Amino acid sequence: MMGFTAGTLLLFGATGDLAKRMLLPSLCALDADDLLGDDLRIIGTARSEMDDHGFRQLAREALEQYLPANRRGSMAHFLNRLTYQSLDATRQEGYDELARKVGKDHGGLAIFLSTAPSLFEPTIKGLQQAGLTDGDVRIGLEKPLGTDLASSQEINDAVASAFDESRIFRIDHYLGKETVQNLLALRFANLLFEPVWNAQYIDHVQITVAETVGLESRVAYYDDSGALRDMVQNHMLQLLALVAMEPPTSFDATAVRDEKVKVLRALREVAGGETVTGQYRSGAISGEAVAGYAEELGEESSTETFVAIKAHVDNWRWKGVPFYMRTGKRLPERVTEIVVQFRCIPHSIFEGRGATTKPNRLVIGIQPQENIQLSMMAKMPGLDREGIRLRSVPLDIAMPDAFSGTVRRIAYERLLLDLIEGDQTLFVRRDEVEAQWEWVDAIRALWQKNDLTPQGYSAGSWGPSSAIALAERDGVSWHE
């Protein structure tokens, strides 16, 4: 049940980095493709003092910088949708002015909250007292939603005091990426994979989210957060849940999210020796020297910029199959991928002819390139007088090639459109968030108990050597 389509979109944090890089370009691209209702109004709000004209000028500059010219359509048409209201989130009178700007005839209101977590509670309270939470109103929440289970529950309680769960849209932008959604199509629209998608045929799964960048503009946030909370708690656990979930009864919000949360609750508590943490030192990325984390930060820190985990899903389908996850900053390349490593064939008929076989491997590339690659064994051409020669051959599905003529969209385009139209399928439910935090909090408690501090690794490497050992002691090599 999707409910109403919003006639007004209210963007909090409308002058911030996310709005300029992602939200405004996504909305403009949707407008260019005639996917927004003709009467949809977009109201930006933030602390900055400016008028409608000033906000439109800010939006124009952001679009010229971040959105390709061929996706802008009639930029004037989009800019005319925009108005602005400055707001001090801690003062009630600001919300009363905002409510007047929105008006009672808003035609259904969708609110997108991209503010500091410390402002969530006063913002919800202000919206509630100004009457901006009643009736046809839904709210989208940008991460981070807390720093642990307790703070996450506090935020969720505050939001729940004004909105029921059916009107709360928690955003994980990875779920807006085409290849992530394609994982569901790959599994549940093809008879080929689902019968072998289990412990009998799959040896292990790898999930890698590697970044080449360092702190950039996120200094204060990242040092308080670290890789485990910034990447594993949300993006990586969502990817794991999509790989491991049982077939949902249908492709709707309740059915899909019911199956994801079952996986998250089945995660075994991580044991000592099943995690590695690291922090980058100075090194080189693409031949250029880069400073270490402490130098960028300006002081020593115990925050991890790299984490590798060996996880287990304790259920019938995945018993005994390890899920290796790693993420880090200042790694050699920017890549997000899922590797499903199948087991060896039970018996090779080719051994007597000198041929060796390799197990099949499915690689799902999410960024920078969206592609799916399946490695298959094939016979090399020849007369075979010296023996049969076999080689692993990749079958590639490059998404841009397979679907030429279709537009490559920003992940936020899908998520903003779903927020406006009321489809929760690609948003994260409260019980998912809390199951994720519960698992991650146990890892942090383990680190604290064992006095585990990050090991140094050179920028431009694949993390501490113990991360390689984490997999290799099981006879597994990271896919690189």
Side-chain angles (χ1 to χ4, degrees), residues 83-140:
T83 57
Y84 183 83
Q85 178 69 42
S86 63
L87 173 79
D88 179 346
T90 61
R91 294 175 62 237
Q92 179 57 41
E93 52 268 33
Y95 293 95
D96 295 333
E97 290 168 19
L98 184 62
R100 283 192 286 276
K101 185 90 170 186
V102 171
K104 294 196 183 299
D105 300 324
H106 49 62
L109 178 63
I111 301 169
F112 186 103
L113 215 56
S114 175
T115 58
S118 60
L119 294 176
F120 272 36
E121 286 189 63
T123 301
I124 296 295
K125 187 179 176 183
L127 288 168
Q128 201 168 16
Q129 291 179 353
L132 286 172
T133 61
D134 303 328
D136 287 343
V137 184
R138 64 175 68 103
I139 190 163

Side-chain angles (χ1 to χ4, degrees), residues 199-252:
Q200 187 178 349
Y201 298 101
I202 291 176
D203 181 78
H204 69 270
V205 176
Q206 298 180 25
I207 302 173
T208 295
V209 179
E211 298 179 286
T212 55
V213 297
L215 279 176
E216 294 185 299
S217 60
R218 304 171 75 216
V219 177
Y221 162 72
Y222 194 86
D223 197 54
D224 287 340
S225 174
L228 183 67
R229 290 188 283 203
D230 184 47
M231 278 291 184
V232 177
Q233 185 274 330
N234 41 77
H235 304 326
M236 298 190 79
L237 284 182
Q238 283 292 315
L239 294 179
L240 184 151
L242 291 171
V243 170
M245 66 193 276
E246 295 298 318
T249 53
S250 62
F251 188 66
D252 69 44

Side-chain angles (χ1 to χ4, degrees), residues 16 165 260 277 386 420:
E165 187 63 32
K260 282 198 293 172
T277 70
E386 306 300 321
I420 291 165

Side-chain angles (χ1 to χ4, degrees), residues 142-446:
E142 183 62 55
K143 79 168 187 112
L145 294 179
T147 55
D148 55 16
L149 179 60
S151 57
S152 174
Q153 287 173 328
E154 195 177 324
I155 289 171
N156 279 317
D157 286 345
V159 180
S161 70
F163 297 91
D164 59 55
E165 187 63 32
S166 67
R167 297 193 290 142
I168 301 171
F169 290 63
R170 295 174 194 82
I171 287 170
D172 184 328
H173 72 266
Y174 266 50
L175 298 182
K177 293 179 181 291
E178 280 292 345
T179 321
V180 173
Q181 296 164 51
N182 232 317
L183 180 54
L184 294 176
L186 186 79
R187 287 193 57 194
F188 304 128
N190 298 287
L191 187 61
L192 179 67
F193 290 110
E194 195 55 28
V196 295
W197 207 261
N198 55 54
Q200 187 178 349
Y201 298 101
I202 291 176
D203 181 78
H204 69 270
V205 176
Q206 298 180 25
I207 302 173
T208 295
V209 179
E211 298 179 286
T212 55
V213 297
L215 279 176
E216 294 185 299
S217 60
R218 304 171 75 216
V219 177
Y221 162 72
Y222 194 86
D223 197 54
D224 287 340
S225 174
L228 183 67
R229 290 188 283 203
D230 184 47
M231 278 291 184
V232 177
Q233 185 274 330
N234 41 77
H235 304 326
M236 298 190 79
L237 284 182
Q238 283 292 315
L239 294 179
L240 184 151
L242 291 171
V243 170
M245 66 193 276
E246 295 298 318
T249 53
S250 62
F251 188 66
D252 69 44
T254 300
V256 170
R257 299 191 298 179
D258 281 350
E259 298 305 335
K260 282 198 293 172
V261 83
K262 286 178 192 174
V263 172
L264 297 167
R265 286 177 177 154
L267 282 168
R268 184 193 305 171
E269 194 169 303
V270 171
E274 290 184 332
T275 68
V276 173
T277 70
Q279 185 185 98
Y280 64 84
R281 305 285 184 252
S282 58
I285 304 279
S286 303
E288 289 189 20
V290 295
Y293 181 80
E295 295 164 77
E296 281 191 53
L297 189 64
E299 60 185 8
E300 291 299 315
S301 168
S302 60
T303 298
E304 80 284 355
T305 62
F306 176 95
V307 62
I309 302 170
K310 179 182 175 182
H312 299 270
V313 179
D314 281 342
N315 63 15
W316 190 302
R317 183 183 290 260
W318 297 109
K319 188 65 177 175
V321 178
F323 285 73
Y324 300 96
M325 298 190 286
R326 63 174 175 174
T327 183
K329 289 190 173 295
R330 292 296 191 205
L331 300 183
E333 58 183 294
R334 176 176 173 260
V335 60
T336 298
E337 67 178 15
I338 299 165
V339 177
V340 179
Q341 180 66 61
F342 291 91
R343 296 190 184 279
C344 297
I345 55 171
H347 170 71
S348 174
I349 65 170
F350 303 103
E351 272 185 9
R353 302 292 296 274
T356 57
T357 60
K358 292 181 180 178
N360 304 122
R361 171 184 278 172
L362 180 68
V363 181
I364 300 158
I366 295 167
Q367 63 184 26
Q369 300 300 322
E370 295 184 338
N371 67 288
I372 297 170
Q373 183 187 86
L374 177 65
S375 64
M376 307 280 288
M377 294 305 298
K379 178 189 172 297
M380 293 176 65
L383 297 174
D384 307 326
R385 299 188 71 192
E386 306 300 321
I388 290 176
R389 292 178 300 161
L390 302 178
R391 177 184 289 174
S392 181
V393 178
L395 300 180
D396 276 308
I397 306 170
M399 290 301 157
D401 297 341
F403 301 106
S404 58
T406 57
V407 177
R408 183 170 179 171
R409 296 191 179 278
I410 307 165
Y412 276 96
E413 287 182 56
R414 173 66 185 267
L415 298 174
L416 284 166
L417 191 60
D418 284 355
L419 172 65
I420 291 165
E421 294 182 343
D423 186 348
Q424 288 185 306
T425 308
L426 299 178
F427 294 82
V428 185
R429 207 165 60 190
R430 177 172 182 162
D431 52 357
E432 288 181 76
V433 175
E434 294 186 351
Q436 289 169 187
W437 273 123
E438 205 169 325
W439 192 71
V440 162
D441 283 356
I443 295 174
R444 291 181 57 80
L446 179 73

